[in-house]
Amino acid sequence: MKTQEFTLGDVPLGQIDMDDDTPTEADDLADLVAELRRVQAEGEAKGEAWGGVRSPVTVEPADGAGRYRLIFGRRRVLAARLAGLETIPALVEHGGAVVPSKETPDA
C-alpha cells in the first residue's frame, strides 16, 4: 500500500507550473478575483490581516530547483496571480512511500 506525505506551507506563485491545455473561463476568473478583493477589503475595514486564499492548492515538486507542478487548484492559482499575490497556501505532496499492509506477509 502507498501512503502520501504532505506538508502545508506558502509556495511562491512564480514557482508553480500548470498544464496550459486546461481551459479556464475568463468570467469565472474575474468572479474569483472580485471575491478575493472583496474579502480583502472587508478584512482591512475590520482591521484584520487578510489571509488571501483560504483553501490550499495541491502541488508536487517538479524538479530539484524548487519548482512545483500543480495537481489541484488551477483557478485559485490564476485568481491569486491576477490579484497580485506573491504566494499561495499549498499542500506539497512528497510522493508515496510503500508501506506493507496487514495482508502482506513479511519477507
Side-chain angles (χ1 to χ4, degrees), residues 3-52:
T3 61
Q4 298 293 330
E5 292 185 25
F6 294 90
T7 55
L8 178 62
D10 288 338
V11 172
L13 286 163
Q15 294 178 337
I16 297 176
D17 299 323
M18 296 186 296
D19 178 8
D20 292 332
D21 294 335
T22 305
T24 303
E25 296 294 326
D27 290 342
D28 193 27
L29 286 179
D31 290 344
L32 287 170
V33 171
E35 179 66 10
L36 285 172
R37 290 186 176 146
R38 184 191 62 76
V39 170
Q40 181 181 20
E42 284 179 3
E44 289 172 353
K46 295 177 186 176
E48 301 171 350
W50 181 55

